Amino acid sequence: MQVLQRQWDPTFSQHSYGFRPGRSAHQAVAQAQQYIVAGYGWVVDLDLEKFFDRVNHDKLMGQIANRVEDKRLLKLIRAFLNAGVMENGLVRPSVEGTPQGGPLSPLLSNLVLDELDRELERRGHRFVRYADDSNIYVRSERAGQRVMESITHFITHKLKLKVNESKSAVARPQERKFLGFSFMAGPEVKRVIAPKALERFKQRIREITRKVKGVSIKTTMEELASYMRGWRGYFGFCETPEVLIALTRWVRLRLRAALWRQWKTPRRRRAELIALGVTERLASNTAGSGRGPWHLARSKALSVGLSNAYFRSLGLPSLFGTC
């Protein structure tokens, strides 16, 4: 992979961003944003069905043979493709597809889809491709439907691959997601986090904060911090800081509610709040409240005792600035 990538990568399309050195998903999203700003307000969103499982071996080997003369190397790559997969201790032969997780598969996928890139370039389209996720930007819905029909025909008959019709569509970019992002409608085109990505974040935070009951707060914080830093590293590329600020506040509310449940009894709750600097009167009133944990997470007592500074001292990162 390391040897072939150095040779092949410079020959790939500038519109291809996936699994390539010096290129990233953020660059792909930014390029898509530029097309929308330029007036290409419709997207042909193409999703290839089980792409890694459907690559035709003979066709792929023909493409490799155009670039590689050494028959020993061709034999080695063919063996890699035919190695099969192990299921329940038994090896099942693979007659098509590239092994998912194999180090050579991403490079071979770019080789297969370079033919698609060249066809789109030949037709003069504005497009972005990241692995098997391709977005073509056009000026009208009618143009999008024409492109969808002709490119689907090309993919099916020329590349011998299949377009997933249920996941592909011609739509406004604001209605679709691309690499976890979408775009805000209006005079100013902004990158926003796609709704499904936000929901996955919240679901993961719920899973982690539910564990507070059975593990130490330190362990929970370490897991939270690791996940949140990684998530911020990718989705911090959005242009809606208010969403990141709101999510950070929501995480703190989840932690306050989780700790309130962990403390269980009114007596312990009162003692914990006082130890955290809450006045005795406020601690007593809050500990004796019949309200639920999620409601009390917003109370003055928990905001004072389990303050933003308290969580920062435990290592909880912010998703944006110092909110």
Side-chain angles (χ1 to χ4, degrees):
M1 186 277 286
Q2 292 173 352
V3 172
L4 292 177
Q5 188 168 57
R6 282 197 297 270
Q7 295 177 6
W8 295 358
D9 191 78
T11 71
F12 291 152
S13 169
Q14 63 175 350
H15 300 279
S16 165
Y17 292 87
F19 309 126
R20 297 185 61 188
R23 294 188 152 234
S24 69
H26 286 173
Q27 291 173 340
V29 172
Q31 180 59 69
Q33 184 181 17
Q34 288 178 32
Y35 288 140
I36 300 166
V37 170
Y40 295 85
W42 288 85
V43 62
V44 180
D45 188 354
L46 287 167
D47 182 88
L48 299 181
E49 188 173 301
K50 296 181 179 178
F51 169 71
F52 284 97
D53 298 332
R54 291 185 180 276
V55 173
N56 182 285
H57 285 183
D58 291 334
K59 182 171 175 53
L60 173 56
M61 288 306 302
Q63 290 173 295
I64 296 171
N66 289 333
R67 293 170 176 255
V68 175
E69 294 182 0
D70 189 332
K71 286 185 170 53
R72 295 170 300 172
L73 180 54
L74 292 173
K75 188 177 179 181
L76 181 64
I77 295 174
R78 172 68 85 165
F80 168 81
L81 292 173
N82 293 338
V85 292
M86 184 171 282
E87 294 178 344
N88 301 320
L90 299 174
V91 176
R92 176 172 61 81
S94 50
V95 295
E96 63 177 1
T98 60
Q100 289 202 42
L104 201 55
S105 293
L107 180 62
L108 295 180
S109 72
N110 274 331
L111 178 61
V112 171
L113 293 175
D114 189 57
E115 195 172 347
L116 172 62
D117 296 340
R118 298 309 177 186
E119 178 65 16
L120 292 172
E121 287 176 351
R122 188 183 68 78
R123 298 184 186 192
H125 288 308
R126 283 128 181 103
F127 71 97
V128 180
R129 182 177 66 78
Y130 191 96
D132 57 342
D133 199 350
S134 297
N135 277 8
I136 307 165
Y137 293 87
V138 295
R139 289 191 182 275
S140 69
E141 184 178 12
R142 189 174 176 182
Q145 295 294 353
R146 282 199 309 270
V147 171
M148 174 67 85
E149 185 178 348
S150 63
I151 293 299
T152 297
H153 184 272
F154 176 84
I155 290 171
T156 304
H157 293 86
K158 185 73 174 175
L159 301 184
K160 308 299 182 186
L161 296 170
K162 187 177 180 182
V163 173
N164 188 330
E165 294 182 6
S166 64
K167 292 185 178 180
S168 302
V170 176
R172 292 288 192 183
Q174 296 81 9
E175 299 167 6
R176 306 296 292 176
K177 64 178 178 67
F178 182 52
L179 304 176
F181 291 91
S182 187
F183 301 95
M184 186 181 290
E188 190 177 357
V189 179
K190 287 185 176 182
R191 297 184 297 270
V192 300
I193 302 168
K196 283 187 178 179
L198 288 173
E199 186 48 46
R200 280 196 297 271
F201 172 83
K202 287 191 169 185
Q203 187 55 40
R204 183 70 186 117
I205 296 299
R206 289 186 188 105
E207 291 170 3
I208 295 172
T209 52
R210 282 192 195 110
K211 298 177 187 176
V212 171
K213 199 171 183 180
V215 300
S216 70
I217 188 67
K218 182 184 176 184
T219 302
T220 300
M221 282 299 175
E222 286 173 356
E223 191 173 357
L224 267 180
S226 175
Y227 177 71
M228 288 175 68
R229 286 194 190 98
W231 195 89
R232 179 180 63 189
Y234 185 76
F235 288 103
F237 188 59
C238 76
E239 295 176 308
T240 49
E242 64 277 7
V243 172
L244 300 178
I245 292 169
L247 283 175
T248 305
R249 289 172 177 164
W250 180 82
V251 171
R252 288 194 294 255
L253 286 174
R254 286 284 313 176
L255 284 168
R256 287 175 186 134
L259 284 168
W260 191 250
R261 290 190 189 94
Q262 187 188 57
W263 294 340
K264 290 184 180 179
T265 65
R267 186 174 181 175
R268 185 182 173 188
R269 287 168 174 171
R270 179 179 180 276
E272 292 284 359
L273 288 174
I274 291 172
L276 289 165
V278 179
T279 64
E280 289 190 15
R281 182 177 178 182
L282 183 57
S284 297
N285 289 340
T286 307
S289 172
R291 298 276 192 173
W294 189 244
H295 178 89
L296 289 173
R298 295 174 170 81
S299 69
K300 183 179 179 181
L302 268 68
S303 297
V304 171
L306 301 174
S307 64
N308 298 357
Y310 170 78
F311 288 126
R312 276 199 301 273
S313 72
L314 293 178
L316 183 71
S318 167
L319 295 175
F320 181 80
T322 57
C323 65

